[in-house]
Amino acid sequence: IMALKYYIEYNDIMGISHRAEISSENYSGDATQIKGNVIVSKVSDDDILKATRGGGLKLNLEANENLTFEDFQTTNEREFLVKYFRDGSIHSNYWLSPEGLFEDFVNKEWVISLDCTDGIGFLNNLQYVDNTTKEIFTGKQTMLEVIVNCLKRTNIDMNIYTSIGINHFNQPSNTN
């Protein structure tokens, strides 16, 4: 179970509230509020038909002598889960990349910029196997099962909505 380690909360100049929560399975203790901001980045891939176009998030964190974020240095790409909330609603989930982490030995305070990925881009290089047993799938599957199995490989738990419950006023309702 992921435990909340750090969180950022602020309102931008438009009055929109932003919150980013950084969690880790390897942490136990109280969550620490940190200073910084969040920038959602869109996919820069020009191929709009590419199925695995992931998104990203940039965290700008205020570090100092007592809070260097050196605990982010890991070889595991899926160590730190970042949940981003906009106006109180979950916007998306990401994995933190420790690249770009540094300590400033001249100044007492500095800003580090860390990138986060939603994991969709990882899918290009992953084999289509069961996420828990790592066995290759056999047999027929529905398209929804294939999508669910692929998204499980990102290790981000999100709901998949298959209907939005809106009908045209002339469309008969399905009450079965």
Side-chain angles (χ1 to χ4, degrees), residues 8 10 18 20 36-42 55-60 84 86 91-92 94 113-116:
I8 303 168
Y10 66 95
H18 300 270
N37 64 31
V38 177
I39 301 169
V40 177
S41 58
K42 298 195 180 206
L57 186 78
K58 182 174 288 291
L59 292 176
N60 296 313
Y84 171 55
R86 183 180 164 101
H91 183 272
S92 47
Y94 300 92
S113 293
L114 299 173
D115 292 324
C116 304

Side-chain angles (χ1 to χ4, degrees), residues 26-175:
N26 299 326
Y27 178 72
S28 62
D30 295 330
T32 303
Q33 185 171 8
I34 56 177
K35 293 181 181 178
N37 64 31
V38 177
I39 301 169
V40 177
S41 58
K42 298 195 180 206
V43 180
S44 61
D45 193 344
D46 291 334
D47 184 4
I48 60 171
L49 298 177
K50 186 174 180 183
T52 54
R53 293 176 12 158
L57 186 78
K58 182 174 288 291
L59 292 176
N60 296 313
L61 307 177
E62 294 182 21
N64 59 47
E65 295 171 323
N66 300 320
L67 185 62
T68 61
F69 300 108
E70 67 184 22
D71 50 333
F72 289 157
Q73 292 178 336
T74 178
T75 56
N76 183 359
E77 294 175 329
R78 299 177 187 178
E79 172 77 24
F80 293 97
L81 177 67
V82 179
K83 290 186 177 187
Y84 171 55
F85 298 84
R86 183 180 164 101
D87 271 342
S89 298
I90 183 103
H91 183 272
S92 47
N93 295 323
Y94 300 92
W95 294 108
L96 182 87
S97 172
E99 295 176 12
L101 190 62
F102 71 96
E103 185 171 348
D104 191 329
F105 295 105
V106 177
N107 299 306
K108 292 184 179 186
E109 296 179 351
W110 62 96
V111 175
I112 59 170
S113 293
L114 299 173
D115 292 324
C116 304
T117 180
D118 62 7
I120 301 295
F122 294 147
L123 294 177
N124 283 340
N125 300 320
L126 296 178
Q127 189 176 18
Y128 183 62
V129 297
D130 186 284
N131 202 39
T132 53
T133 66
K134 305 301 183 219
E135 293 182 16
I136 296 174
F137 287 108
T138 58
K140 294 183 179 182
Q141 294 180 330
T142 66
M143 187 59 74
L144 182 59
E145 288 173 318
V146 171
I147 292 169
V148 168
N149 290 330
C150 288
L151 291 177
K152 281 182 183 176
R153 297 284 290 170
T154 66
N155 287 341
I156 295 178
D157 185 28
M158 293 191 75
N159 296 326
I160 298 174
Y161 300 104
T162 59
S163 173
I164 57 174
I166 297 176
N167 295 321
H168 187 272
F169 66 92
N170 285 332
Q171 179 181 356
S173 62
N174 186 1
T175 57

Side-chain angles (χ1 to χ4, degrees), residues 1-6 22-32 71 79-80:
I1 292 180
M2 297 292 240
L4 181 62
K5 185 166 188 166
Y6 299 110
I22 304 170
S23 303
S24 173
E25 285 183 353
N26 299 326
Y27 178 72
S28 62
D30 295 330
T32 303
D71 50 333
E79 172 77 24
F80 293 97

